[in-house]
Amino acid sequence: MAISNTRKLLLLPGDGIGPEVVREVKKIIEWLNKNKSLDFKIEEELIGGASIDAHKIPITDEVFYKSLECDAVILGACGGPKWDKLEFSKKPERALLKLRKELKLFANLRPAICFEQLVDSSTLKPEIVSGLDIMIVRELTGGIYFGEPRGIEPIKNNERKGINTHTYTTAEIKRIAKVAFDLAKKRKNKVTSCEKSNVMEAGVLWREEVQDLKDKEFKNVELEHMLADNCAMQLLRNPKQFDVILADNLFGDMLSDEAAMLTGSLGLLPSASLGSKDKNGKLRSLYEPVHGSAPDIAGKNIANPIATILSLSMALRYSLDLDKEADLLDQAVQKVLNDGLRTKDIVSKGKKEVTTSQMGDAIISKLN
Ligand code: IPM
Ligand code: MG
């Protein structure tokens, strides 16, 4: 019996610059099919505001089930001012949060690497960011993003109260901490775990459970606990002290935007959101750039597609067992930067400014 090597990729371009950057990824997948004898089957569907416009809801059941069945989801971005006034539960971002929660993608990996060619694009001094290589491990399915009770309710005097709840259990903390420790072992062997144990009980629990896991299973990995506000400050003061940063959903959201800017541009940062393997050994996964929909520059063909292209490279590595192809793609990005090609967000004196599609084409020419 012939074993089919077909792998299904679901592309969800979404809103804002999402469609522009995902278009470049699609070209690369097509190149891989043609030149590397791979058999990726691509499906493309609406999500977020684009789905609201067409179907009145941010994600349809049909698209949701496709995301369960495919080998990896690659998402552009969700949201924009056009849908800001919608009721909370109908906003574009709910689609993304539903995918994360229902696919149980609890581990969000956000690497912040400062490419040598772009040291001058950072707003920080070159000696502070040169050689920077941090991995942020963000918990993605718990904490204040999902805690109950939540809502806005009337109180006396015609006033209202907004409520969100921050909770974490031992199991939730330990499973994400394990991801951080396992990654650290393959890197510089250090985890910095962030919380606010000085003001939050859930932070105290976070600190204790991470420490307990280290003492029992990861004795040889260095563990440092740091208050999240201090971590935000240290990222600017001396970011190279970090190897793996472990944080909950909300602190991880904020610290990863900050870390992104150390590398020069939010347009460079990919991310992988991973679940655990199911009983058939299948890993659920979603890959997306960290940058979001950037409505101010949407439709102008000036967005940087590198974050999304590097997200594809993470998909090749983590979900598709194609390390060689991932290396090839990473190298192609490096070569294009070496040639001095830059999208608007990272252009500097003496470099050549290119459009989104020119950047994609240049990366493909380096694959060749
Ligand atoms: C991110 C984004 C999302 C988040 C939004 C779009 C819901 O900021 O992935 O970092 O807050 O998680
Ligand atoms: Mg964010």
Side-chain angles (χ1 to χ4, degrees):
M1 194 177 77
I3 299 172
S4 154
N5 221 0
T6 303
R7 274 172 289 186
K8 283 195 259 177
L9 296 180
L10 178 63
L11 303 186
L12 300 174
D15 307 323
I17 58 172
E20 294 160 69
V21 292
V22 170
R23 193 174 308 134
E24 300 313 306
V25 159
K26 198 169 157 188
K27 290 201 265 189
I28 292 172
I29 299 169
E30 280 158 1
W31 185 92
L32 288 170
N33 272 347
K34 208 162 130 208
N35 296 280
K36 291 281 151 192
S37 310
L38 295 171
D39 189 11
F40 287 120
K41 191 167 160 274
I42 310 174
E43 288 206 70
E44 205 173 318
E45 294 291 347
L46 301 176
I47 194 165
S51 172
I52 294 174
D53 289 349
H55 307 292
K56 299 198 165 59
I57 44 175
I59 182 167
T60 61
D61 287 347
E62 192 195 339
V63 174
F64 176 68
Y65 288 116
K66 279 191 181 167
S67 75
L68 287 172
E69 277 161 17
C70 67
D71 292 289
V73 181
I74 297 177
L75 187 136
C78 281
K82 183 174 175 196
W83 306 281
D84 269 355
K85 292 242 153 58
L86 287 177
E87 185 194 310
F88 194 72
S89 64
K90 301 199 171 107
K91 279 188 191 290
E93 289 83 355
R94 300 317 299 171
L96 178 57
L97 295 170
K98 174 173 169 156
L99 284 179
R100 288 175 179 173
K101 187 72 175 173
E102 310 256 330
L103 301 185
K104 301 190 175 63
L105 307 174
F106 67 90
N108 185 216
L109 314 186
R110 299 189 157 185
I113 297 169
C114 182
F115 296 141
E116 230 26 65
Q117 305 93 322
L118 297 177
V119 163
D120 293 322
S121 304
S122 175
T123 47
L124 272 77
K125 293 197 191 89
E127 63 268 27
I128 303 286
V129 293
S130 162
L132 182 81
D133 180 355
I134 299 176
M135 176 66 91
I136 298 190
V137 177
R138 169 188 177 193
E139 201 290 329
L140 205 60
T141 53
I144 202 150
Y145 272 57
F146 297 98
E148 301 279 348
R150 64 186 301 157
I152 299 178
E153 55 185 49
I155 51 171
K156 57 180 196 293
N157 300 335
N158 252 338
E159 289 186 23
R160 297 180 301 159
K161 181 155 106 180
I163 305 157
N164 288 94
T165 307
H166 176 77
T167 68
Y168 272 107
T169 62
T170 297
E172 285 175 316
I173 297 167
K174 287 200 164 156
R175 79 177 169 179
I176 189 68
K178 182 176 185 318
V179 172
F181 285 124
D182 280 332
L183 278 167
K185 278 165 72 177
K186 296 186 205 146
R187 297 169 47 96
K188 295 186 206 113
N189 212 35
K190 179 177 170 191
V191 172
T192 304
S193 171
C194 297
E195 26 61 16
K196 283 285 286 177
S197 56
N198 52 346
V199 287
M200 292 161 71
E201 287 81 354
V204 174
L205 185 77
W206 183 281
R207 184 177 281 226
E208 289 174 0
E209 299 296 7
V210 173
Q211 184 66 47
D212 187 60
L213 183 69
K214 176 213 146 72
D215 294 342
K216 289 190 176 131
E217 289 177 36
F218 296 94
K219 286 200 181 61
N220 298 325
V221 180
E222 187 190 340
L223 170 65
E224 171 187 38
H225 300 284
M226 192 178 274
L227 297 176
D229 53 345
N230 184 26
C231 181
M233 187 270 280
Q234 296 295 338
L235 271 173
L236 297 182
R237 197 184 71 86
N238 175 20
K240 281 186 266 181
Q241 69 185 283
F242 296 109
D243 178 24
V244 174
I245 294 180
L246 167 64
D248 73 20
N249 206 343
L250 182 61
F251 294 142
D253 179 46
M254 300 195 285
L255 294 172
S256 58
D257 266 30
E258 189 187 355
M261 273 322 287
L262 303 175
T263 70
S265 166
L266 206 49
L268 297 167
L269 248 76
S271 83
S273 304
L274 310 174
S276 358
K277 289 200 171 128
D278 68 12
K279 49 183 188 302
N280 304 317
K282 189 178 155 104
L283 175 79
R284 292 246 155 81
S285 57
L286 180 147
Y287 298 84
E288 57 177 322
V290 172
H291 52 61
S293 62
D296 51 325
I297 59 164
K300 297 185 179 157
N301 198 24
I302 58 172
N304 189 344
I306 291 181
T308 318
I309 290 171
L310 293 177
S311 299
L312 171 65
S313 152
M314 290 186 92
L316 296 171
R317 222 178 274 288
Y318 291 107
S319 292
L320 304 160
D321 248 338
L322 292 168
D323 282 77
K324 265 208 274 178
E325 286 73 9
D327 289 342
L328 192 72
L329 189 51
D330 290 350
Q331 284 155 16
V333 171
Q334 292 294 332
K335 286 182 189 160
V336 167
L337 294 175
N338 285 339
D339 282 356
L341 302 191
R342 304 281 188 270
T343 42
K344 200 179 182 72
D345 55 318
I346 49 173
V347 76
S348 57
K349 221 170 127 213
K351 306 293 183 227
K352 184 171 186 298
E353 188 173 325
V354 294
T355 63
T356 309
S357 43
Q358 285 169 338
M359 181 56 99
D361 292 341
I363 291 170
I364 289 177
S365 76
K366 294 297 176 189
L367 291 170
N368 287 319

